[in-house]
Amino acid sequence: MTAEHVADVTDLEPGEAMRLELDGPDGSPLPVALVRDEAGEFHALSDICSHGQVNLSDGEVEGSTIECWLHGSTFDLRTGEPTSLPAYDPVPIYPVRLDGDDVLVDVKNPLNQASL
C-alpha cells in the first residue's frame, strides 16, 4: 500500500469530516474527504459529490453515511455507493489504515471502480 500520512486520529471527532488535497495517481491534486463515522471508524472518499460537484466534506455524517449539503444525496462511507437520490453514481473510496495515532490514506489504489 502506498499510503501517506494525512492526519492524526485526534484531528477528527466521531461524526466529523475534513477536506484533504492529495497528489492523485497522475500527480494532479485530488480532493479527498477524510471522514470519521459515528462509530469512530475512518474512511476516505472523493470529496466531490457525483451529482452536484460540491464538497462532501461540508455535509453531515450520520452513522456510516455522509450527506451532500446541496441536494441531500447520501453516500455509504464503506462502498461509495449512493443510498439516496438524486445521486445515482458512486464516488471513489480509498484505503485507510491507522499506524498508532497516524491516519494513512492510499489514493493510488482505490477500493472501487467509481470515477468522476
Side-chain angles (χ1 to χ4, degrees), residues 53-116:
Q53 303 298 305
V54 297
N55 297 342
L56 289 175
S57 59
D58 292 333
E60 296 292 321
V61 177
E62 185 172 316
S64 61
T65 64
I66 191 163
E67 180 181 19
C68 177
W69 61 269
L70 186 60
H71 295 116
S73 293
T74 56
F75 294 88
D76 187 304
L77 295 170
R78 298 163 298 203
T79 66
E81 292 291 328
T83 58
S84 68
L85 296 174
Y88 55 87
D89 290 325
V91 294
I93 57 172
Y94 306 101
V96 177
R97 71 179 172 91
L98 300 180
D99 183 11
D101 288 338
D102 297 332
V103 181
L104 307 169
V105 174
D106 182 1
V107 296
K108 309 285 194 264
N109 296 297
L111 293 171
N112 63 0
Q113 297 301 314
S115 62
L116 295 176

Side-chain angles (χ1 to χ4, degrees), residues 8-87:
D8 294 329
V9 294
T10 57
D11 290 340
L12 286 176
E13 294 293 324
E16 291 184 339
M18 67 188 293
R19 179 181 172 85
L20 305 170
E21 194 152 299
L22 305 176
D23 289 335
D26 64 357
S28 64
L30 182 67
V32 173
L34 181 64
V35 182
R36 192 168 188 185
D37 67 23
E38 289 183 338
E41 298 294 318
F42 286 89
H43 306 273
L45 64 157
S46 171
D47 194 31
I48 305 300
C49 176
S50 61
H51 171 261
Q53 303 298 305
V54 297
N55 297 342
L56 289 175
S57 59
D58 292 333
E60 296 292 321
V61 177
E62 185 172 316
S64 61
T65 64
I66 191 163
E67 180 181 19
C68 177
W69 61 269
L70 186 60
H71 295 116
S73 293
T74 56
F75 294 88
D76 187 304
L77 295 170
R78 298 163 298 203
T79 66
E81 292 291 328
T83 58
S84 68
L85 296 174

